Amino acid sequence: MLEYRNLVKKFGERTILKGINLKINQGEIVFILGTSGTGKSVLLKNTVGLLKPDAGEIWIDGEEVAGFSEFEFLKIRKKCGMVFQHPALFDSLTIYENIAFGLRKHFSLSESEISSRVNRALKLVNIHDINDKRPAEISYGMQKRVSLARTVALEPKVLLFDEPTTGLDPVTTNAINELIKDLSRTLKTTSLVVSHDMPCALSIADRIVVFDQGQIVDQGTPQELLNSKVKLVQEFLAEAKEMLDHDSNVIRGTTS
Amino acid sequence: MKAIFFFFDDFGSSIIFLKDILKTMIFRPCSRRLVFEQIWQVTIQSLPTTAMAGFFVGAIMTVQFAMQVSEFGALPYLGGLATSGTIREIGPLLIAFMLSGKVGAYTSAELGTMRVTEQIDAIRCLGADPIQEIILPRFIGIIISSFFLLTIGLIMSVVGGVILGYFFSGINPEEYVRHIPTILAWPSLLSGLIKCLTFAVVLATICTYKGYFTTGGAKGVGRSVVSTAVTTMMSIVVADWGTSFVGEIIINMCKDYFL
């Protein structure tokens, strides 16, 4: 469904992606973990043509897209929906108009079809009765959900998530993670999630890929990653264990 | 050396950006509703300050000219001289400075915020062209509003001139206005309009360019706003010299041709 072959991306003298080779199968949920600045988000932006790779190939649904023009990328962006780190909602538009925006630009739909797809998308992310509100009038967590609904409304085959839970409280983080899992299973989409959240990756990913310094240093199922000998993976696991221990201590009341 | 390289790099990039805007304007025009929204927003935002500044510029010009022309007994021509000076030079320059302080900084901050919060990337992912969707309406809006504001500023400058002329030099308002068409010839009018258009294009290009290519989060937005303010002010002054210089050559050529 989605494949990167020897993908290289440079910013000036700095090489951010150093020959990435990765294949993601249809319907798979793949988490990309890694420290900040290792090129995880750059990989997603290359996938939808927001950035151009310096070398290598990107295959989406049997098409090599790395050399595509901005116009040619329009059809790829229908297939690959991206949920950004920020909600990236348009302040001047209502929630309804925000979700309808992509539908109006990508497809020729009647107003009733747009309305039904907007409402369906909002229902999928468990949001009701905010159609006429503006982004500034709803919470950050809700904005993230609306952002997800805006992408899901396009019914893409591939969903790309760029740190979907950054800046959210634990409750909303869990809700968003559950949504990612449910949406991927319900809509049968392929999901590529960039995250720092190891516990979440272990619980919902089919496969976890670990990035370091623009390279893949390890990958495998959550079970395989638990036995990894790679230092960075062990650090991530240790931190995840610490977080889980802390949470259970809080629940037991032994830690403030 | 690095600063010179950066200057030319920035200058070249803004020219390429202007080319993209003009290309979009011709081949993929934006919705009229978005343009009208921008015209309304820019005009309303700057109307009170422009009107007030126009009033005082007319008043200042009248006071300054009154001192000179009264020595030659040419006070009745005060209205024509002050208005001609305002429309040729001070009016367009004033409107451009006002717009650069208010609309330029606002547009740059707005677009910069859209860039750092990934709204511009989202527009692309949702199948739209950001130049067509957000840049072009602002670009056209700023240019058209400049002419509205110039007109209002000039009307207010005449009002200011009439009032100050009456109280400062004792000129009858009717006398003040009567000689405006005598002195205000088409070259002055044309010069004012060309300057207004040039300054508006310079301002609209710089503020949209600086905002659109913002990087580096909140600090980056701040940098873009400051850079927009400084660059537009300097560019407008340079463009003023350029249009005066080129305008003078064209007017002399026309005079030679017609006479």
Side-chain angles (χ1 to χ4, degrees), chain B residues 25 50 89 117 124 129:
Chain B
M25 197 190 303
T50 309
E89 189 64 51
T117 57
R124 287 173 70 190
D129 173 8

Side-chain angles (χ1 to χ4, degrees), chain A residues 49 70 77 84-86 88-90 102 105-106 150, chain B residues 116-119 121-128 133:
Chain A
E70 183 73 13
R77 289 173 190 155
F84 293 90
Q85 191 176 346
H86 294 95
L89 300 176
F90 311 128
K105 296 291 171 189
H106 271 309
R150 184 174 64 177
Chain B
V116 300
T117 57
E118 298 177 308
Q119 288 181 52
D121 286 342
I123 289 174
R124 287 173 70 190
C125 279
L126 293 169
E133 209 65 39

Side-chain angles (χ1 to χ4, degrees), chain B residues 212-246:
Chain B
Y212 190 71
F213 292 104
T214 298
T215 50
K219 264 190 177 176
V221 175
R223 270 198 303 270
S224 288
V225 173
V226 172
S227 174
T228 299
V230 174
T231 315
T232 45
M233 296 276 185
M234 283 170 62
S235 306
I236 285 164
V237 173
V238 174
D240 191 17
W241 169 80
T243 44
S244 300
F245 184 67
V246 174

Side-chain angles (χ1 to χ4, degrees), chain A residues 42-137:
Chain A
V42 172
L43 183 77
L44 296 193
K45 288 186 176 176
N46 273 285
T47 314
V48 287
L50 296 175
L51 293 173
K52 292 267 175 213
D54 291 292
E57 296 173 0
I58 302 171
W59 289 81
I60 298 172
D61 214 8
E63 262 185 305
E64 205 286 298
V65 304
F68 272 20
S69 65
E70 183 73 13
F71 179 72
E72 288 171 311
F73 254 110
L74 285 179
K75 63 178 180 181
I76 300 302
R77 289 173 190 155
K78 271 193 224 178
K79 286 183 195 172
C80 288
M82 181 152 171
V83 181
F84 293 90
Q85 191 176 346
H86 294 95
L89 300 176
F90 311 128
D91 306 326
S92 56
L93 303 181
T94 61
I95 299 303
Y96 178 92
E97 287 301 325
N98 260 287
I99 299 170
F101 186 91
L103 294 171
R104 292 206 168 100
K105 296 291 171 189
H106 271 309
F107 309 98
S108 306
L109 299 171
S110 68
E111 204 47 50
S112 64
E113 282 172 306
I114 289 174
S115 172
S116 96
R117 279 176 79 162
V118 169
N119 289 325
R120 200 161 60 228
L122 281 170
K123 204 175 159 191
L124 273 171
V125 297
N126 300 321
I127 286 185
H128 312 277
D129 306 325
I130 58 159
N131 284 12
D132 297 326
K133 288 198 160 81
R134 302 217 174 238
E137 295 172 301

Side-chain angles (χ1 to χ4, degrees), chain B residues 10-22:
Chain B
D10 214 28
F11 182 71
S13 302
S14 58
I15 298 294
I16 292 169
F17 186 65
L18 176 62
K19 184 205 80 183
D20 288 344
I21 296 173
L22 296 177

